[in-house]
Structure formats: C-alpha cells, structure tokens
Amino acid sequence: MILHKHEKQLLKELEKQEKAKIEELEMNPDSARRAAFWLAEKGLAIVEEKEDECFIKNEECERWSSKGFPEVRILKKDGESVAELTPEERIGLVWAKKNGWIEISEGKIKKIKDVSGYSLEEAAKNPKKASKEDLKVLIKRKLVVPQKSKEITVSITKAGRAEAKKITEISQEIGELTDEVIASGSWKNAQFRPYALAPTKDARIGKIHPLTRMVGKVKRVFMDMGFEEMEGNMVESAFWNFDALFQPQDHPARELADTFYLEGSEELPEPKLVEQVAKSHEEGWKYKWSPKEAKKRVLRTHTTVLSAQYLNKLKGTDAKKYFSVGRVFRNEAIDFKHLAEFHQIEGIVAWEGATFRDLLGLLKEFYRRFGFEKIRFRPSYFPYTEPSVEIEVYFEEREEWMELGGAGIFRPEMTKPLCDIYPVLAWGLSLERPMMLREDLKDIRTFYKNDLDWLRSSGVSHSEGFGRSGSDGNE
Ligand code: PHE
C-alpha cells in the first residue's frame, strides 16, 4: 500500500501507543490529524472525535496566576492611603472589599481578614479543574473565554498493525523531481510521491490571434515553395502604388473615394526610372503624365507596390520568386463585408521561362496546401496585367464558388521601366475572405473585435491554415 510520509509516521507511533490523542503524539498536530483521517479511510486506524471545552486565558489572567491576584496583593498595603493606588491596585481594592477582606476608613486600607490559598488563583492556573463559582467569576471578569473544541483520538486497527510492520524506515518522499535531486543522486534510494491527477475545467491557454497565425502559415507555405519575402512601407507615394504599375493618373481607383491620401508628399525615385514610367504612360495611355500627381502620399491600396519595388531592384535576368503578406488600406464604407484595412497575399515569379500555365499551376498548388482542391480561373482585368484572371475557390460547406483574388502576367509597359525580365507572373489574394468562410464568420469585423468567445473557439492553427482538415504544406 502506498502511504504518505505522515501516515507512516503515525502508524509507527500508534504501534507503540495503541491509542493516542492527536496532541499527545510526537508529530505536528496538523499533519497527524490529516494522516489519522487518511488512515481511517484505508481501514488502518479508527478516529474518534469528542466535543471538549477549553478556556482561553487573556494576558492579564496569565500574569496574575503567576504573580498573584491584585486583591491578594493589596492586603500588603494595610494602612496605606487609597488615593495613591495604581489602576491595577484599585481593581484589587474593589475585589478585596467585595470578598470582605478589607475595609476603607478615613481614606486608608484596613485589613480585616488574613487570606491564605485563594481558590480563584488556582482556578486561573487551571480553569478546567476550577469550581463552577470560580469559573463564573473568571468569565465575568473576562480573564478566560470558554471555547468548544474537538478532541481527536486515534487508535490502530489490526490491518494497521500489519501495515506498520511492513514499514521498515520512513524514507524521505520526493514530490518534485528537481535538477538538484537528479544531480545529487538522492533519487536512487528515495520514494516518489505518486501523482494525484486532478481534472481541471476550462483551462485556457494563451494563443496567437487567428489572423496572425494565418499570416505565419502563409509565410511558411511560400518559404516551403522557395519564395523570398518582400517588405515595405504602408505609407507610399502614388508613384509606387499606381504609376509604377502602369495605372493611368485618371484611373477611378486613384480617386479619393477609393484611396486614403495623406498630407504632404513623397520624393520620386531616380529620374531615369521616373522618365521611363512617364514615357510608358504617355505612349500607352496617350495623356500628359504629371509628376505632381505621382508625388502624392497614400496609404498603400495593395501590396502590388512591393512587387514593383522589388522588380526595380533586380539586376540582369536572374530568376526570382517573391511573396509578401501585408496590410493594405482602402477608403471603403465599413460593413459586415468590408473593412478599410485588410491583408493581401502578394507574389511574383520573375523568370523569362515562365508561362501563363505556370501561374495557374502555382496558384493551384498554393491553395491545395491549404486544403482547397477545387479552384478555377475566370478572365478579368487589371491595368498592369495581360492576360488577367480572377481566382475562385469552391467551398464544399457552402457549395459556392468564392472570388479570392486577382492574378496575371505583368504587362511589358509596366515591367520594362523596372527590370529586364519578361514575363513576370503576379498575383494578389485576400487573406481574410477564405478565413471568414472557413470560420463561418458572417461579419469581417469579428477579426478586429477582440471577441473572446470567438478567439477561444477559433480553429485556425499554424498547421491547419484555411482548411479545417489540416492539409499542412509540409507533406
Ligand atoms: N493588386 C490587385 C488587387 O489589389 C491584385 C493583383 C495583383 C492582380 C497582381 C494582378 C496581379 O486586387
């Protein structure tokens, strides 16, 4: 039988004494009491509880029972003046007079009786043995307070005796395996306390926000596919956000209703690049390109600005694959479907050998790694791509096709001023939309509401991604 250290100790004690009061054992009374009840439960001991009365003495009572009660001490002041007495002596005076031991005449103490052996003093020393009358006085004088208590007696059973025989030594029990225990080697001869596993309810652990987890997962998938990450600013010039993407300056997307313009203006990049972009616009779209319009400061409306910037950094015709996951901003009226800021998943493959089919295959592979097997492409339009497609994914749960983003091959009018590579495959996808559908969210604002219930129940994890079944990009 596995016994606690204190249970063993108590059994050993009872083996000697048969029956004992808790207080009389050579053990800490709290440990002994607990051990007694545990042993009783195992049938190794019997616990008896008896109501008992005890008395709690106050400080005065303790003092007086050793140095004498003031009414006894006052007898020594026979003949002295009452006026000079201390407060404690005055108490003595009152009680001595009440007892008929003294009288007061002409302001002086006059002893009329000798006292030897004052029973109240004995009673104060041991209230349990005091007479009823003395006890009453002690209580009335607030020298003692009676209190009910429980007296616990333990005795050993036959089974307890047999068990006690088996205990040869009370070894130190180890409750925690610390480095010290391992290093010292004390574990070799020690006994380990068995685990008591208590079920816990609703243990809530901290977790990362579903959107952040999703961003991590997307990064992981692109890294696994050999892509490098693009990074940049959220505040950009209209030049990089629009002009470098061959988006004409009178394009409706550039209007205030769609784009957040900020105060101030941005510097234009090196003149050679600006000149080539201007030329491309003027030849392609047939209008007078304005540097002032290009200097305007905006919150980026798409992460495609990064693709333009990274293409511009390319040297020669070495192939490159880039991705980014970042926040973008649009001047939208906010409702259950629209936010003024959201995330885009961007990517490019700059490789002269690339084809349109590679683009479609890549996107298919990307979504497959999130557990979407059924995806389709529909013709679309962007000022900077030709051909352009819209990507749709089939949601089994809803039996619905959903649009998730755009893609295409960057037009040479856009890439020529930036780099020497053509074609460049490109795409920009929504992060929030597929998550909403997978999480069955009716309102896109939920992502930013700090709704604890939703955050706790959200199923998106690093390994799950968009797909509930958890197709992980690593297979
Ligand atoms: N920038 C586009 C958007 O924001 C997406 C896109 C990126 C389309 C790259 C084609 C190529 O919707």
Side-chain angles (χ1 to χ4, degrees):
M1 193 179 298
I2 297 165
L3 295 176
H4 185 265
K5 181 174 75 181
H6 293 146
E7 289 177 294
K8 289 180 188 168
Q9 206 177 340
L10 180 56
L11 270 189
K12 278 294 182 198
E13 285 279 317
L14 291 175
E15 209 184 13
K16 287 183 264 167
Q17 304 189 25
E18 189 82 26
K19 185 171 188 161
K21 287 187 187 150
I22 291 290
E23 283 73 19
E24 289 162 7
L25 288 160
E26 273 180 37
M27 271 180 81
N28 169 303
D30 283 328
S31 313
R33 196 173 309 117
R34 251 175 269 141
F37 283 103
W38 291 333
L39 289 176
E41 206 136 297
K42 294 171 185 159
L44 304 178
I46 295 167
V47 176
E48 286 164 274
E49 288 177 86
K50 220 170 71 196
E51 282 280 344
D52 194 24
E53 190 165 51
C54 71
F55 299 92
I56 297 172
K57 304 176 189 178
N58 72 2
E59 183 268 326
E60 216 163 43
C61 182
E62 301 274 14
R63 196 152 41 83
W64 292 352
S65 53
S66 66
K67 85 174 198 192
F69 269 56
E71 55 263 44
V72 179
R73 279 183 276 130
I74 200 80
L75 298 178
K76 295 207 180 89
K77 302 244 162 169
D78 188 21
E80 284 183 30
S81 159
V82 171
E84 255 122 70
L85 297 179
T86 63
E88 190 166 293
E89 285 166 340
R90 254 170 229 286
I91 297 172
L93 186 78
V94 173
W95 285 96
K97 212 169 148 242
K98 222 181 206 166
N99 292 347
W101 299 344
I102 56 164
E103 270 176 7
I104 296 162
S105 77
E106 292 165 8
K108 289 207 164 83
I109 299 166
K110 190 171 162 226
K111 185 160 93 177
I112 53 171
K113 200 179 164 192
D114 245 329
V115 178
S116 68
Y118 184 32
S119 72
L120 200 66
E121 250 174 37
E122 292 310 309
K125 278 185 195 137
N126 193 352
K128 262 191 167 169
K129 297 215 170 103
S131 68
K132 267 204 177 113
E133 295 80 57
D134 282 343
L135 206 50
K136 236 171 146 178
V137 177
L138 286 177
I139 292 168
K140 195 175 151 214
R141 285 174 75 171
K142 296 200 169 66
L143 294 171
V144 302
V145 179
Q147 210 174 51
K148 293 238 178 294
S149 73
K150 264 192 186 147
E151 193 187 76
I152 298 171
T153 327
V154 234
S155 47
I156 193 162
T157 62
K158 242 186 166 171
R161 212 164 260 293
E163 196 63 38
K165 277 221 182 74
K166 289 192 225 156
I167 304 166
T168 46
E169 57 163 329
I170 300 169
S171 64
Q172 199 57 36
E173 241 189 7
I174 294 180
E176 200 182 344
L177 194 59
T178 58
D179 46 0
E180 217 171 274
V181 169
I182 295 170
S184 70
S186 67
W187 57 273
K188 283 180 198 156
N189 302 313
Q191 238 193 318
F192 287 92
R193 182 185 220 151
Y195 266 123
L197 293 177
T200 60
K201 232 180 100 190
D202 261 358
R204 287 182 179 130
I205 49 164
K207 56 183 196 183
I208 296 166
H209 192 281
L211 269 179
T212 313
R213 275 184 279 161
M214 200 56 224
V215 169
K217 166 78 179 173
V218 171
K219 286 186 182 183
R220 178 84 256 157
V221 166
F222 274 120
M223 304 272 219
D224 287 346
M225 289 165 77
F227 282 72
E228 286 171 53
E229 188 172 358
M230 306 187 278
E231 284 170 310
N233 299 326
M234 296 187 193
V235 174
E236 278 296 349
S237 64
F239 178 86
W240 283 114
N241 195 78
F242 298 119
D243 296 287
L245 292 167
F246 198 53
Q247 202 150 334
Q249 292 186 327
D250 63 353
H251 192 280
R254 296 178 73 140
E255 275 172 27
L256 206 59
D258 286 293
T259 302
F260 287 117
Y261 284 89
L262 304 177
E263 267 179 22
S265 60
E266 291 285 317
E267 289 291 316
L268 290 181
E270 22 133 12
K272 201 174 137 234
L273 173 63
V274 177
E275 207 178 284
Q276 279 171 350
V277 168
K279 195 171 145 231
S280 187
H281 276 244
E282 290 180 354
E283 280 176 7
W285 298 116
K286 313 264 182 259
Y287 72 103
K288 177 83 192 121
W289 188 82
S290 142
K292 194 170 159 239
E293 193 60 37
K295 280 182 184 168
K296 284 187 175 167
R297 183 178 281 159
V298 301
L299 284 177
R300 69 181 182 201
T301 62
H302 50 190
T303 39
T304 319
V305 325
L306 296 172
S307 302
Q309 287 169 345
Y310 273 71
L311 283 178
N312 186 232
K313 284 190 219 167
L314 291 186
K315 303 260 182 311
T317 53
D318 284 346
K320 273 285 187 189
K321 298 192 281 188
Y322 287 115
F323 80 95
S324 88
V325 197
R327 250 187 229 200
V328 300
F329 307 85
R330 292 198 193 161
N331 198 355
E332 304 252 22
I334 293 167
D335 62 23
F336 74 99
K337 250 173 134 174
H338 299 96
L339 286 173
E341 58 175 283
F342 51 95
H343 290 81
Q344 271 191 333
I345 303 165
E346 198 78 29
I348 48 173
V349 173
W351 173 37
E352 288 184 321
T355 66
F356 187 59
R357 287 213 69 93
D358 290 327
L359 174 65
L360 306 188
L362 229 150
L363 291 167
K364 246 186 162 143
E365 175 59 17
F366 173 75
Y367 281 108
R368 194 191 62 78
R369 292 189 181 213
F370 284 97
F372 293 111
E373 298 291 344
K374 248 165 129 177
I375 94 168
R376 74 179 181 192
F377 303 98
R378 306 205 322 160
S380 187
Y381 172 83
F382 301 99
Y384 33 90
T385 49
E386 181 59 38
S388 310
V389 289
E390 210 172 84
I391 303 135
E392 288 189 336
V393 164
Y394 192 70
F395 278 89
E396 303 287 351
E397 283 99 333
R398 294 201 179 188
E399 299 179 14
E400 232 180 298
W401 287 97
M402 297 300 309
E403 198 224 307
L404 294 187
I409 291 178
F410 278 148
R411 288 167 70 145
E413 292 93 327
M414 173 207 156
T415 52
K416 245 202 193 130
L418 298 171
C419 66
D420 295 329
I421 301 181
Y422 182 86
V424 176
L425 313 179
W427 57 92
L429 317 168
S430 162
L431 180 83
E432 277 89 350
R433 283 198 92 179
M435 275 188 75
M436 265 180 86
L437 291 155
R438 277 297 186 207
E439 291 276 307
D440 206 20
L441 282 190
K442 304 275 179 289
D443 192 329
I444 192 164
R445 289 169 291 197
T446 311
F447 283 125
Y448 296 95
K449 260 201 334 212
N450 293 333
D451 172 349
L452 282 180
D453 282 341
W454 176 69
L455 289 172
R456 278 176 188 140
S457 67
S458 160
V460 179
S461 75
H462 279 304
S463 60
E464 276 174 328
F466 293 134
R468 264 202 200 121
S469 53
S471 166
D472 191 73
N474 299 319
E475 66 269 277

